[in-house]
Amino acid sequence: MGWMAWTLPTAIFFAVIGALLLIMSVLAIRYPETPRMGILRMETTRGDRLFITLLGSAFICLAWLGLVGENLWWALGICFVYALAVFRWV
Amino acid sequence: MEKTLNQKAWFLVLPVFLLVAFSAVIPLMTVVNYSLQDTFGNNKFFWAGLEWYTELLHSERLWSAFGRQIIFSAIILAIEVPLGVFVALNMPKKGVWASLSLVLMALPLLIPWNVVGTIWQIFGRVDIGLLGHTLAALGIDYNYTRDPLAAWVTIITMDVWHWTSLVALLSYAGLQSIPEAYYQAAKIDQASRWSVFWFIELPKMQGVLMIAILIRFMDSFMIYTEPFVVTGGGPGNATTFLSIDLVKMALGQFDLGPAAAFSLMYFLVVMLVSWVFYTVMTNLDKKAGY
């Protein structure tokens, strides 16, 4: 695995994403859902909302890095608020 | 009869899962790891944190390559989509001419990208190329190796030549699927040619056109081989698109860290656009009741 140049932060990052996917899969099996219509006027499932959250969060972090600075904890906070909004209204 | 319920079918997905893991997921994870580190070779890495991302987000070089890329994709879409639809509308609908035109339209799509590049590189040369020499003989100052405008015109013409047939073939398939009854109804209503196009043909082609736009956008946004063979990104940086810049950074300068950060940002933009197109397409399908 040496060639993959793992570091602790990136390992944690991927572990969190892996865990999210696992939780969503378990939820999908235990509590099947029907897609719902949100403010984007399109049907979304929980998986779709997770995807929108993760993709949007990546852009939020990049925008923060480009416009504000390197302290990404604030950006992470915004990402959480964004995630809540996506899961509630999209 | 009671339905058997088990999850064994998942094993059938396993080969694809493994293939995607080795061809996409593991390399992507490695790129993420690289993007936060620096290396001087020998597989030794040093933690650099978010330095590369910050540097690139403020880099004039990246933003100008991004700008050129957007302009390039916008221009080729603006030309290829209407032109492809126009060609499809004028292709014979049945008979031997229909087959012949289909084969002719498919020909440019069969030529490998580096060969297309080489063809146009020679074609445009002022000393031996038919196009370059003819233009020079007509007194037009055309030289794609030193004039940025000529380089852009050459690359855009090359892309239009190479890929318009894809849009035309997809539109043609869309047109062929329109039942004759629609045209008969339009005839009874004495609809003009324009109305037939606007109210029957275009809406019926919406799905395939969306696919054509998505494919052409993705391909043009990732274009590398053809401009690399024709201009090598020049003159200066005039035709250095994102992928050319990325390869220069990763392989030319061996800056693996910045190149990894660059490719991840590139990947995010591609993913965002693909998601938007995919969502629009599936919503259109749902509306159409497929």
Side-chain angles (χ1 to χ4, degrees), chain B residues 18-58:
Chain B
L18 284 175
L19 197 73
V20 172
F22 278 97
S23 69
V25 180
I26 293 176
L28 185 68
M29 284 173 156
T30 312
V31 171
V32 173
N33 291 342
Y34 280 9
S35 73
L36 299 165
Q37 299 177 78
D38 196 6
T39 180
F40 302 104
N42 230 359
N43 212 26
K44 282 204 170 64
F45 290 89
F46 308 92
W47 179 253
L50 297 163
E51 196 181 321
W52 305 133
Y53 289 95
T54 317
E55 196 180 294
L56 283 166
L57 285 167
H58 293 103

Side-chain angles (χ1 to χ4, degrees), chain B residues 72-88:
Chain B
F72 176 75
S73 292
I75 292 177
I76 65 111
L77 281 180
I79 298 174
E80 287 174 17
V81 174
L83 188 61
V85 172
F86 179 75
V87 170

Side-chain angles (χ1 to χ4, degrees), chain B residues 5 19 42 54 68 96 150 163 204 218 220 225 227 243 254 276:
Chain B
L5 189 72
L19 197 73
N42 230 359
T54 317
R68 282 190 290 271
V96 68
W163 291 110
K204 287 282 171 193
M218 299 314 297
S220 64
T225 317
S243 56
F254 204 69
V276 170

